[in-house]
């Protein structure tokens, strides 16, 4: 284990102990259902402010209901997931509402950690985008209420580039030309060995017509030729100076900061970064000089953005399941909550279709209205954490030159087949 991994594992354990201790304290308190604890992670401090804002609105609308206390989780998705696993595996009732990344839902549901929210399904389906609802359904039932949704988008320096590129080749050429002239990198994104890297690999792989599983999710496709093409694109971009220096160590916040400091022509990120780059973050050096566009495509293919987002699940160990469920319903279906919290903060986009009509003039909302309907979810499998960890390792090793593309893709394919067989 690397020193970094050890430090981060220690941080997760320390946070877990703190959470568990808080849970035990709550359990021995006088009224265990007097408050609801909402565990939520995020990428920026704005996520926490948003959660506090939502909790305040819940109190205003439901003066007699239990108060919601926000329990902030680590910012890194990998650490948050591990922390929640430890907590839920121990069967502790210290958390009532869980903000879950869309890719964690099948595993958490299968382990019996989530309350079945089937009763909310028809109401939610009437008001939400279908993508986030589909991502919260596993094994035929709804396990979480959509809260935020996400799709990969391209940011470009509108003062340096007339039109955003529509193909990856154009992005490379234009980034090199403009970047060379300005002495900045062509392209930046989060290339560190974590979930964000898998997302990007999949956007290239899907964008070349690849699919990890067949449509019923039962057998592995993972076409080796397309997977090799996708990793070779990344490897060339890394070795030929298309990705910014340090790409291999960056998470999404590092990439955003590199771009907003003026060090790259293009950025692949999520929508949350828009408001930060446009001045929400006072350190941004590119305010008013940035455009947004769909991700580029490979010739002969359509662009593919990965679908992300976070949904609200109710812990099966909650001591107040009815109130926690009502809170999830409130957040997921209240136009006022979703509208107000999105307008004021740098956070992931809302899931209610009505909010997209209310904010149709907003450039980010206008782009998302185009991109979200075709954004592609990562495979809905209880094994996602294992599969993603293997992909993170293999893809990182290939693009940084430590392993051979064909050998790594073959190993990955074998791993996928063995994992599906063993499940
Ligand atoms: C964003 C997405 C989430 C994804 C993560 C990867 O937070 O919403 O779904 O897993 O980025 O880093």
């Amino acid at each position: 284990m690397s020193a970094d991994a050890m430090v981060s594992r220690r941080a997760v354990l320390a946070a877990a102990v703190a959470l568990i201790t808080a849970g035990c304290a709550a359990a021995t308190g006088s009224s265990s259902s007097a408050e609801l604890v909402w565990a939520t992670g995020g990428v920026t401090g704005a996520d926490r402010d948003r959660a506090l804002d939502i909790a305040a609105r819940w109190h205003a609308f439901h003066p007699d209901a239990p108060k919601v206390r926000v329990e902030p989780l680590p910012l890194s998705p990998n650490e948050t997931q591990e922390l929640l696993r430890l907590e839920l595996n121990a069967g502790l009732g210290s958390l009532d509402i869980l903000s879950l990344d869309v890719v964690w839902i099948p595993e958490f549901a299968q382990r019996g950690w989530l309350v079945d929210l089937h009763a909310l399904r028809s109401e939610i389906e009437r008001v939400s985008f279908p993508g986030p609802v589909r991502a919260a359904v596993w094994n035929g039932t709804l396990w979480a209420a959509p809260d935020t949704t996400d799709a990969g988008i391209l940011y470009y320096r509108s003062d340096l580039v007339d039109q955003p590129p529509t193909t990856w080749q154009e992005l490379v050429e234009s980034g090199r030309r403009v970047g060379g002239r300005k002495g900045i990198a062509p392209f930046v994104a989060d290339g560190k060995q974590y979930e964000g890297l898998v997302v990007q690999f999949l956007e290239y792989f899907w964008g070349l017509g690849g699919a990890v599983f067949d449509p019923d999710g039962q057998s592995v496709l993972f076409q080796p030729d397309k997977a090799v093409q996708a990793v070779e694109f990344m490897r060339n971009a890394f070795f030929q100076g298309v990705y910014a220096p340090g790409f291999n160590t960056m998470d999404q916040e590092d990439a955003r900061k590199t771009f907003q400091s003026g060090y790259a022509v293009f950025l692949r990120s999520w929508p949350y970064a828009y408001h930060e780059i446009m001045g929400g973050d006072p350190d941004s050096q590119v305010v008013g000089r940035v455009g947004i566009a769909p991700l580029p495509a490979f010739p002969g293919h359509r662009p593919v953005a990965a679908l992300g987002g976070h949904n609200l699940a109710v812990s099966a160990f909650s001591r107040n399941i009815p109130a926690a469920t009502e809170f999830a319903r409130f957040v997921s279906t209240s136009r006022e909550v979703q509208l107000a919290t999105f307008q004021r903060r740098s956070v992931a986009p809302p899931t209610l279709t009505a909010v997209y009509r209310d904010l149709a003039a907003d450039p980010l909302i206008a782009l998302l209205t185009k991109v979200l309907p075709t954004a592609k979810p990562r495979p809905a499998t209880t094994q996602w954490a294992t599969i993603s960890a293997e992909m993170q390792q293999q893809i990182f090793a290939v693009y940084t030159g430590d392993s051979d593309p064909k050998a790594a893709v073959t190993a990955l394919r074998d791993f996928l087949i063995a994992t599906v067989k063993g499940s």
Side-chain angles (χ1 to χ4, degrees):
M1 194 184 286
S2 72
D4 267 7
M6 270 177 71
V7 169
S8 115
R9 192 163 173 97
R10 251 186 250 136
V12 167
L13 286 173
V17 169
L19 261 187
I20 289 168
T21 314
C24 295
T28 52
S30 53
S31 168
S32 58
S33 56
E35 68 172 11
L36 296 171
V37 180
W38 176 14
T40 178
V43 263
T44 64
D47 293 293
R48 183 162 177 271
D49 293 346
R50 172 181 183 269
L52 293 172
D53 186 346
I54 291 177
R57 284 167 196 277
W58 162 259
H59 302 156
F61 274 90
H62 303 83
D64 300 328
K67 298 267 178 277
V68 168
R69 177 161 62 79
V70 173
E71 182 70 53
L73 297 180
L75 295 185
S76 136
N78 291 22
E79 284 178 18
T80 302
Q81 187 185 14
E82 197 173 336
L83 184 55
L84 288 175
R85 276 220 199 90
L86 287 170
E87 172 80 12
L88 294 165
N89 206 26
L92 296 173
S94 48
L95 306 176
D96 300 285
I97 304 136
L98 316 167
S99 288
L100 298 185
D101 191 318
V102 286
V103 282
W104 306 339
I105 290 172
E107 177 199 333
F108 281 37
Q110 190 211 33
R111 289 183 189 265
W113 293 341
L114 308 183
V115 171
D116 180 341
L117 299 184
H118 182 72
L120 305 183
R121 185 161 175 180
S122 56
E123 183 183 357
I124 286 176
E125 274 176 346
R126 268 201 308 279
V127 294
S128 284
F129 264 112
V133 181
R134 268 198 303 273
V137 170
W138 176 75
N139 218 3
T141 197
L142 184 78
W143 296 100
D147 178 16
T148 62
T149 188
D150 246 349
I153 56 173
L154 184 73
Y155 293 76
Y156 65 98
R157 287 285 300 278
S158 52
D159 56 335
L160 304 179
V161 173
D162 292 336
Q163 290 295 321
T166 55
T167 67
W168 287 108
Q169 193 51 36
E170 269 175 48
L171 176 140
V172 168
E173 284 163 10
S174 144
R176 278 217 181 103
R177 199 173 47 247
V178 176
R181 214 170 57 226
K182 290 278 166 193
I184 62 176
F187 184 32
V188 67
D190 43 340
K192 130 180 180 177
Q193 190 176 318
Y194 83 137
E195 182 69 28
L197 174 65
V198 172
V199 167
Q200 282 165 82
F201 163 74
L202 288 174
E203 285 176 341
Y204 299 131
F205 173 66
W206 288 331
L208 287 158
V212 180
F213 294 112
D214 68 352
D216 67 10
Q218 297 307 304
S219 47
V220 173
L221 295 177
F222 203 65
Q223 303 85 344
D225 54 332
K226 296 187 199 308
V228 167
Q229 247 180 295
V231 286
E232 277 180 346
F233 176 85
M234 300 181 77
R235 189 174 164 114
N236 291 337
F238 184 67
F239 282 104
Q240 296 170 7
V242 174
Y243 291 139
F247 169 81
N248 54 331
T249 61
M250 287 188 200
D251 65 17
Q252 61 198 51
E253 278 293 86
D254 299 322
R256 169 181 71 86
K257 287 175 185 160
T258 301
F259 180 76
Q260 72 171 31
S261 301
Y263 297 142
V265 184
F266 298 110
L267 163 74
R268 183 271 174 221
S269 187
W270 301 99
Y272 85 92
Y274 186 68
H275 292 117
E276 298 279 313
I277 290 171
M278 292 311 243
D281 183 341
D283 291 339
S284 177
Q285 305 292 310
V286 294
V287 180
R289 295 191 279 139
V290 172
I292 44 177
L295 291 175
F298 287 104
H301 293 281
R302 298 165 66 85
V304 183
L307 182 81
H310 288 78
N311 294 337
L312 296 185
V314 174
S315 163
F317 310 108
S318 164
R319 284 181 291 267
N320 197 343
I321 288 175
T325 304
E326 179 50 28
F327 177 76
R329 194 188 72 81
F330 171 73
V331 177
S332 185
T333 59
S334 163
R335 186 167 174 171
E336 188 191 318
V337 167
Q338 291 217 356
L339 185 61
T341 57
F342 178 68
Q343 269 176 316
R344 291 201 282 118
R345 318 246 178 236
S346 250
V347 292
T351 52
L352 289 177
T353 49
V355 175
Y356 287 76
R357 287 196 297 274
D358 295 339
L359 300 178
D362 178 300
L364 178 58
I365 288 289
L367 173 64
L368 289 170
T369 304
K370 278 199 268 170
V371 170
L372 281 172
T374 56
K376 207 168 161 58
R378 282 153 281 172
T381 159
T382 56
Q383 306 275 1
W384 181 250
T386 319
I387 291 173
S388 173
E390 184 70 14
M391 283 192 170
Q392 290 166 30
Q393 202 207 317
Q394 297 281 3
I395 291 157
F396 187 84
V398 174
Y399 94 73
T400 53
D402 274 348
S403 64
D404 168 68
K406 284 203 181 70
V409 162
T410 306
L412 207 40
R413 193 163 189 280
D414 292 347
F415 181 86
L416 287 167
I417 292 169
T419 308
V420 166
K421 252 197 212 135
S423 64

